Amino acid sequence: MGAGRIQTFSQNNIALFCPNQAASSTDFRNMRKNNLGGVIFGCTDSTIKECLFKQLFGLPASHISYVNNIDPGLPLFLFNYSDRKLHGIFESASSGRMNINPYGWTADGLGRTLYPAQVQIYPRLQCQALHEDQFKPIIIDNYYSQTHFWFELDHAQTNKLMSLLSSLAIAPSTSLPQNVAKWRNLFHDMPLAHKEERNEVNENDTDIGFYQLYKSNADVLLPASDAVPSLSCVGQPSEPQFKKRTVPEDKKEYILMKLKEMTLARENLYSSLKQSVEDTAIVNDVSMEQSSILKEREMSRKKAVPVSSSCYSDVIHQLMKNLEELEAFKGGQIRRTEQLEHKLVEAQTEIQQLKQQCTTLECRLDHCIEPVKEGMVVFPTEPCLDIDELIFLVGGYDGKTYSSSLNAYLPSQNKMKFLTPMSVVRSLASVAMLSGELYAFGGGNGSEWYNTAESYNPADNKWIPRPSLTGRPKGSLAGATLQNKIFAIGGGNGRESFSEVEMLDLDLGRWIMTQSMIEKRFALAAAELNGAIYAVGGSDGQSYLKSAERFDSREHSWTRIQSMNTERAFHALAVMNEKLYVLGGFDGNSMVSSVEIFDPRIGSWMTGEAMNVRRGYSAAAVLKESLYAIGGIIDGDTITDTVERYKEDSGWEVTHQGSLACRCFASAIVL
């Protein structure tokens, strides 16, 4: 359960730089499944015992992107943040997925886990733990800071780690036998002898090996060597000898009695399932664990403790019968859980549809806007509605889903109108206007970035495909229009920040690379003013920037201008009264409400009146001598639902607050 320095709203590589944490490029390498050689999981001194005892590793939900790529048999490793040591070698016993145990690593198992991206594991080889100084040279390419590294390993790194650990393998006789986990399951809850004595394991000595963390709960004593004892009909051990113990003569009847108690417990547990969905999930976990225990118990009994068929044939038959019943019960609960999850998805979809219907009904109250098919609205020819009164909001994220929506915001009425959505979900994209059409390009859907582009014509309320960017898929880029050409500026892909600039030439019908910026800029802002393009702030992947630069098409080059007073990224930029307004953003520690204004006539920045709400990842646009800031993130994953308006003579005021404005990662533009 490691925690990275970047919090993600996404499933994969759309990364947010968290407040109160230093900048970093990303938590993920975003490797394809066939390139993934192994995965490192994280833990601390307080969680390592539960990881190993339950044979379950977990990470925060944002890491599911590559945990999903884990198949059974993939090599795994466990890094302890407390002592900076790497344990191994493990292998995955299941595919990686969400919430294998939704209550893991919580107080008394009562709360929901903070580490739901999970995989079941099995120890492959017992080795001495590696200190960071030993394994760091092997995965040095994974380090994106002095103490933080990516958890995804390629095949070469995995092979080198396994080779180093194998050279430090611990002989089976050094500690507990290598099949100690199976022995624990074999005897757990099935006492074959009185609990007179036990082998003790030093749980604090993690350097001896991770197997030592499995405390034996066996009701008989483990042998002193790795030799496996065999039992005769009367229960007497052969060599090597156990310590003194007493074996009850009515062992068979005792086992059958315990099995009946277990069966009765399962029946009682089944009746409680009808109470709630949460109970279903809990019982499902229990039944899976018990089924696994019984399977391993029987396999271990056959391998480790050969018994006479004449003595225990009835017991084995009863065990197999109970095992079949448990498996059937488990299958029924899995199907029930899947049905409930499917109903939940359907309910969420229905809620979203109801929200859209409510919005459409609200739209019908406005006589200037007419409803059409699929709940969308178009702009009629009535003189009471003017396209110049609208701010267009493109894509974004509402805290639950990434959006392909296109909305028209009417500040004069504080209403949002639904238009034809884009062909794909886009967040952290960029927009620009050309020949009366709205162009959207780049961005992502929470799991991948795009290099695609499309344009919207308000006359027919339709989107059409446009030539894709020639460069790499990217997001958090900036866009601007200059001399009848659209410029796609900077951006990044979660691993790198780019300085590259592309230009869409409609005469050529394609994007072409043009002069790159002086600095790499991810999460920057850009705008055109008086025949020049200004690129401001952002992050170069290592730090946040307060620098700015200007592109002059006549000289076809970028030149530096005076820097802002504050480092910031994920901010908004708009042009009003021939001045640049920079709004909010993230300064490396927190979201800010500060505003800076650049006047190109004097070539310097001045401090403007701060917004009422601190925000980053917001959208901004200028309409009729008013500057609007819409939505954005206040802190962490809290999205604001406010709209603020600025006028030079009256300053900032909150003009709207409601769910329709609750979004981030969106783009805004006036046509």
Side-chain angles (χ1 to χ4, degrees), residues 88-263:
I89 305 169
F90 304 90
E91 66 179 54
S92 54
S94 70
S95 297
R97 60 186 177 89
M98 292 289 286
N99 289 314
I100 295 175
N101 182 350
Y103 308 101
W105 307 286
T106 59
D108 300 322
L110 299 178
R112 301 292 294 189
T113 183
L114 296 177
Y115 314 104
Q118 300 171 354
V119 63
Q120 293 173 309
I121 64 97
Y122 189 78
R124 177 184 291 187
L125 182 64
Q126 179 186 6
C127 306
Q128 295 180 16
L130 298 175
H131 193 271
E132 190 168 14
D133 293 339
Q134 296 174 278
F135 69 81
K136 184 173 183 178
I138 295 177
I139 63 168
I140 189 65
D141 292 339
N142 279 31
Y143 276 79
Y144 57 86
S145 73
Q146 187 67 26
T147 57
H148 291 79
F149 55 85
W150 296 316
F151 285 170
E152 301 156 89
L153 304 175
D154 56 37
H155 293 286
Q157 292 172 324
T158 303
N159 291 336
K160 290 179 181 179
L161 273 181
M162 293 174 64
S163 177
L164 178 58
L165 282 164
S166 299
S167 67
L168 301 173
I170 299 174
S173 59
T174 303
S175 176
L176 298 180
Q178 294 229 5
N179 61 351
V180 63
K182 293 185 179 180
W183 280 60
R184 174 174 59 83
N185 289 333
L186 174 64
F187 294 107
H188 185 60
D189 287 336
M190 289 191 65
L192 300 181
H194 295 302
K195 301 179 183 179
E196 294 182 354
E197 298 180 1
R198 293 190 179 188
N199 286 346
E200 294 297 328
V201 179
N202 183 4
E203 296 180 359
N204 296 320
D205 190 2
T206 57
D207 286 336
I208 296 178
F210 46 78
Y211 294 95
Q212 301 250 3
L213 294 173
Y214 290 107
K215 183 177 180 181
S216 174
N217 290 323
D219 292 316
V220 297
L221 298 170
L222 295 177
S225 69
D226 16 337
V228 179
S230 61
L231 300 177
S232 66
C233 266
V234 294
Q236 298 299 322
S238 60
E239 293 296 328
Q241 293 293 325
F242 289 87
K243 295 182 180 180
K244 183 178 180 180
R245 63 183 178 178
T246 304
V247 180
E249 296 181 357
D250 56 345
K251 183 187 305 178
K252 177 177 178 180
E253 289 75 10
Y254 185 82
I255 294 174
L256 290 175
M257 179 186 69
K258 295 299 288 184
L259 286 172
K260 289 179 180 179
E261 291 176 357
M262 291 170 62
T263 303

Side-chain angles (χ1 to χ4, degrees), residues 406-482:
L406 172 65
N407 303 126
Y409 174 55
L410 284 73
S412 60
Q413 302 179 32
N414 277 325
K415 290 185 178 180
M416 201 81 73
K417 310 300 179 183
F418 286 85
L419 305 174
T420 302
M422 295 177 286
S423 62
V424 295
V425 168
R426 288 187 195 272
S427 62
L428 293 173
S430 190
V431 296
M433 181 186 68
L434 182 60
S435 301
E437 294 189 12
L438 186 161
Y439 284 72
F441 43 93
N445 62 5
S447 61
E448 62 177 329
W449 298 106
Y450 306 140
N451 62 358
T452 59
E454 52 190 312
S455 69
Y456 172 80
N457 188 339
D460 56 15
N461 193 32
K462 291 182 180 179
W463 289 88
I464 62 173
R466 290 295 185 177
S468 296
L469 299 167
T470 58
R472 297 162 283 193
K474 65 189 76 172
S476 286
L477 70 167
T481 303
L482 177 65

Side-chain angles (χ1 to χ4, degrees), residues 344 620 635:
L344 178 60
D635 193 8

Side-chain angles (χ1 to χ4, degrees), residues 370-670:
E370 299 174 353
V372 295
K373 294 180 180 180
E374 299 178 356
M376 296 181 296
V377 297
V378 295
F379 303 110
T381 57
E382 284 86 343
C384 60
L385 182 65
D386 189 347
I387 196 172
D388 293 335
E389 297 178 356
L390 303 170
I391 297 175
F392 291 85
L393 292 174
V394 184
Y397 177 75
D398 64 4
K400 296 180 181 178
T401 57
Y402 295 93
S403 175
S404 62
S405 65
L406 172 65
N407 303 126
Y409 174 55
L410 284 73
S412 60
Q413 302 179 32
N414 277 325
K415 290 185 178 180
M416 201 81 73
K417 310 300 179 183
F418 286 85
L419 305 174
T420 302
M422 295 177 286
S423 62
V424 295
V425 168
R426 288 187 195 272
S427 62
L428 293 173
S430 190
V431 296
M433 181 186 68
L434 182 60
S435 301
E437 294 189 12
L438 186 161
Y439 284 72
F441 43 93
N445 62 5
S447 61
E448 62 177 329
W449 298 106
Y450 306 140
N451 62 358
T452 59
E454 52 190 312
S455 69
Y456 172 80
N457 188 339
D460 56 15
N461 193 32
K462 291 182 180 179
W463 289 88
I464 62 173
R466 290 295 185 177
S468 296
L469 299 167
T470 58
R472 297 162 283 193
K474 65 189 76 172
S476 286
L477 70 167
T481 303
L482 177 65
Q483 296 181 347
N484 207 37
K485 295 178 176 61
I486 293 177
F487 289 77
I489 306 164
N493 60 10
R495 296 184 299 274
E496 299 178 75
S497 298
F498 304 144
S499 62
E500 63 192 29
V501 179
E502 300 184 48
M503 179 180 69
L504 176 61
D505 190 326
L506 291 182
D507 295 332
L508 296 177
R510 62 186 178 89
W511 294 83
I512 58 176
M513 287 291 183
T514 184
Q515 184 66 38
S516 295
M517 293 182 292
I518 299 171
E519 293 191 72
K520 295 180 179 180
R521 297 182 188 272
F522 173 83
L524 75 162
E528 183 273 336
L529 175 59
N530 296 333
I533 295 177
Y534 293 81
V536 180
S539 169
D540 60 7
Q542 301 297 324
S543 59
Y544 295 97
L545 307 174
K546 60 181 178 181
S547 63
E549 47 190 300
R550 175 176 58 207
F551 176 76
D552 190 328
S553 60
R554 294 168 298 182
E555 299 178 0
H556 197 69
S557 63
W558 291 87
T559 57
R560 295 184 184 275
I561 63 173
Q562 185 185 56
S563 295
M564 296 181 292
N565 299 308
T566 303
E567 296 92 349
R568 64 180 83 213
F570 307 107
H571 50 291
L573 177 67
V575 176
M576 187 170 69
N577 296 332
E578 297 190 351
K579 295 188 284 287
L580 295 173
Y581 283 75
V582 175
L583 312 179
F586 181 62
D587 66 359
N589 295 306
S590 63
M591 301 298 177
V592 297
S593 60
S594 63
V595 174
E596 296 191 53
I597 306 170
F598 180 79
D599 189 338
R601 291 167 294 190
I602 60 177
S604 63
W605 293 89
M606 53 185 165
T607 301
E609 179 182 342
M611 296 180 289
N612 294 289
V613 179
R614 54 192 176 94
R615 63 182 85 208
Y617 304 96
S618 62
V622 174
L623 182 67
K624 294 185 176 181
E625 303 301 319
S626 294
L627 173 58
Y628 292 88
I630 304 169
I633 294 177
I634 298 175
D635 193 8
D637 57 0
T638 303
I639 302 176
T640 180
D641 61 356
T642 61
V643 177
E644 289 189 67
R645 180 181 64 196
Y646 174 81
K647 290 186 176 182
E648 287 190 337
D649 57 350
S650 58
W652 287 98
E653 64 173 332
V654 175
T655 60
H656 178 68
Q657 186 169 5
S659 60
L660 291 177
C662 187
R663 68 174 71 191
C664 59
F665 309 157
S667 304
I669 193 170
V670 173

Side-chain angles (χ1 to χ4, degrees), residues 304-344:
V305 189
V307 295
S308 170
S309 59
S310 61
C311 291
Y312 298 115
S313 59
D314 291 341
V315 176
I316 293 173
H317 176 74
Q318 186 66 31
L319 280 171
M320 296 304 296
K321 181 179 179 181
N322 279 272
L323 179 60
E324 291 173 358
E325 292 175 354
L326 284 172
E327 288 179 340
F329 174 74
K330 179 188 71 175
Q333 298 314 310
I334 291 175
R335 287 190 295 272
R336 179 180 174 87
T337 302
E338 290 174 348
Q339 291 172 356
L340 291 171
E341 289 175 348
H342 180 68
K343 290 181 178 179
L344 178 60

